[in-house]
Amino acid sequence: MDPRNETRVPGFLLLGFSVEPELQSLVFGLFLSMFIVTICGNLLIILATITESHLHTPMYFFLSNLSFSDICLISTTTPKMLVNIKMQRSVISYEGCLTQIYFFMLFGGLDNMLLTAMAYDRFVAICHPLQYAVIMNTQLCIILVLASWVVSALHSLLQSLLVLRLSFCTHLEIPHFFCEYNQIVQLACSDTFINDIVMYFAAGMLGGGPFIGIIFSYSKIVSSICGISSALGKWKAFSTCASHLTVVSLFYCTSLGVYLSNFALHNAHASAPASVMYAVFIPMLNPFIYSLRNKDIKGALKRFLSGKP
C-alpha cells in the first residue's frame, strides 16, 4: 500500500525562515513593523479617498480597492508567521494551510485584476480624454471591481478544492513562510496531473491575459504621449501613469521571479525571498508609491491627519 494518509493531514512545517535563535527577535520585529506599516498606510489611503470628495473618481476608486486587497493579502500570511516565530514553532494545520491557500490566491488574483482595471482607466484617460467621463462611468467601475472579485474567488475556490483531492505522505515540510500552492502540490503522493493542468491554464489565462492587457494599454498610452507636442504635456500625461507603472513592474517582476526561480533552479528555497517581496513588501510599498508621487493623495492625507476639512 502507498504510505498515504487517508484524507487527513496533521499539519505542515513552514521552513521559510528557519534562522538562528538569536536572529528570531530581529526577524519578528522586522516583519511586525512591516505588517503595521502596511495596514496603516493602506488604511490611510482608503480613508483619504472616502473622506475627500474630489477623490471620488475611477482612479481612486480602484486604488482604494487595491489598498483593501493589500491589507487582506498581508493579513493572510504575516500574522501566522509572527505567531510561529514568537511561539518558536513552524507548524500550520491542514485546515489553516487550505485557508491560507484560498485567501492568498483570492487577494493575489484580485490585485492582478485591479491593476489591469487601473491600466484600462489610464488608457481611457490619456487616449480618450474627451470621452473619459462617459466611458469610465460609475456603473462600469463597479462592474469591473465586482468582476475582479468574482473571477478571483472562483479561481481560488477551484484551486483549493483541487488540493482537497490530494493525499500526502510523511514529508510535510514547506520551504516557505506560508502555504504556497505549488509547494503543496509538490508534496502530494497522489497524482497531481489535474492540479498541474489547471494551475498552468489558470496562470496563462488569469496571469498572462491581464498582463497582455496591461502591455497593450501602455503601448497605446506611449503612442498617445509621443503624439503630444508639448514637453510639459508629455510629462503631465506620463506622471499620471508613473505610480501605477511602478506598482505593476514590482508586482509582475517579483511574481515571475518566484515561479521562474522555482522551475529553473528546482530549488524551492530560492523562491522564498521573491515570495517575501510580493507577499509583504509590495503591499507595504504601494501606499508610499501612490502617495509620494500624487499631490492629491498627499494633500488629502495631510488634511485627514490634521483634522482639517
Side-chain angles (χ1 to χ4, degrees), residues 14 69 94 124 133 274:
L14 300 173
S69 179
Y94 178 70
V124 176

Side-chain angles (χ1 to χ4, degrees), residues 80-99:
K80 178 59 180 176
M81 182 195 67
L82 294 174
V83 170
N84 284 352
I85 294 176
K86 195 65 177 178
M87 302 297 292
Q88 296 185 352
R89 64 181 184 181
S90 300
V91 179
I92 184 170
S93 67
Y94 178 70
E95 294 78 8
C97 192
L98 283 177
T99 302

Side-chain angles (χ1 to χ4, degrees), residues 104-279:
F104 185 80
M105 298 187 77
L106 168 62
F107 294 113
L110 184 60
D111 269 11
N112 186 30
M113 301 295 287
L114 289 173
L115 288 173
T116 307
M118 295 172 77
Y120 178 71
D121 172 74
R122 293 299 83 204
F123 160 72
V124 176
I126 293 176
C127 299
H128 304 283
L130 297 180
Q131 291 83 34
Y132 178 76
V134 176
I135 297 174
M136 297 304 298
N137 55 69
T138 303
Q139 183 179 5
L140 178 62
C141 293
I142 294 175
I143 289 174
L144 289 174
V145 171
L146 287 178
S148 300
W149 273 96
V150 170
V151 171
S152 300
L154 291 177
H155 168 245
S156 56
L157 178 61
L158 173 62
Q159 300 284 27
S160 300
L161 290 176
L162 287 176
V163 174
L164 287 174
R165 60 180 290 274
L166 299 177
S167 297
F168 297 88
C169 301
T170 56
H171 184 72
L172 301 175
E173 296 181 347
I174 303 172
H176 278 269
F177 69 97
F178 67 97
C179 288
E180 201 268 332
Y181 178 81
N182 187 49
Q183 298 302 320
I184 296 296
V185 173
Q186 290 182 14
L187 290 178
C189 291
S190 54
D191 180 46
T192 62
F193 178 75
I194 296 177
N195 298 73
D196 293 336
I197 291 298
V198 173
M199 178 174 64
Y200 293 134
F201 179 77
M205 293 296 294
L206 302 181
F211 181 71
I212 292 173
I214 291 174
I215 294 298
F216 176 79
S217 296
Y218 272 100
S219 66
K220 294 295 184 180
I221 288 172
V222 170
S223 177
S224 294
I225 290 177
C226 291
I228 300 175
S229 58
S230 167
L232 180 61
K234 290 182 179 179
W235 171 250
K236 286 183 177 180
F238 175 76
S239 64
T240 63
C241 304
S243 298
H244 177 260
L245 189 58
T246 303
V247 172
V248 167
S249 300
L250 286 172
F251 181 85
Y252 278 102
C253 287
T254 53
S255 299
L256 288 173
V258 171
Y259 294 103
L260 290 179
S261 61
N262 196 5
F263 292 131
L265 302 176
H266 301 287
N267 182 1
H269 286 281
S271 64
S275 297
V276 175
M277 282 294 295
Y278 79 78

Side-chain angles (χ1 to χ4, degrees), residues 4-140:
R4 301 173 184 172
N5 69 349
E6 305 275 302
T7 54
R8 291 278 302 175
V9 178
F12 298 92
L13 293 177
L14 300 173
L15 306 180
F17 290 102
S18 300
V19 297
E20 298 298 327
E22 58 270 16
L23 297 178
Q24 292 285 347
S25 297
L26 177 62
V27 173
F28 178 85
L30 176 63
F31 279 90
L32 178 61
S33 301
M34 290 191 293
F35 178 71
I36 294 173
V37 169
T38 302
I39 298 296
C40 294
N42 284 287
L43 191 58
L44 284 174
I45 293 290
I46 295 172
L47 293 175
T49 55
I50 291 175
T51 56
E52 293 287 331
S53 58
H54 71 282
L55 296 183
H56 294 172
T57 63
M59 180 174 68
Y60 297 111
F61 175 68
F62 293 133
L63 177 58
S64 61
N65 279 275
L66 180 66
S67 294
F68 176 76
S69 179
D70 284 339
I71 290 175
C72 296
L73 181 65
I74 196 172
S75 299
T76 300
T77 57
T78 306
K80 178 59 180 176
M81 182 195 67
L82 294 174
V83 170
N84 284 352
I85 294 176
K86 195 65 177 178
M87 302 297 292
Q88 296 185 352
R89 64 181 184 181
S90 300
V91 179
I92 184 170
S93 67
Y94 178 70
E95 294 78 8
C97 192
L98 283 177
T99 302
Q100 268 199 349
I101 288 174
Y102 175 79
F103 284 106
F104 185 80
M105 298 187 77
L106 168 62
F107 294 113
L110 184 60
D111 269 11
N112 186 30
M113 301 295 287
L114 289 173
L115 288 173
T116 307
M118 295 172 77
Y120 178 71
D121 172 74
R122 293 299 83 204
F123 160 72
V124 176
I126 293 176
C127 299
H128 304 283
L130 297 180
Q131 291 83 34
Y132 178 76
V134 176
I135 297 174
M136 297 304 298
N137 55 69
T138 303
Q139 183 179 5
L140 178 62

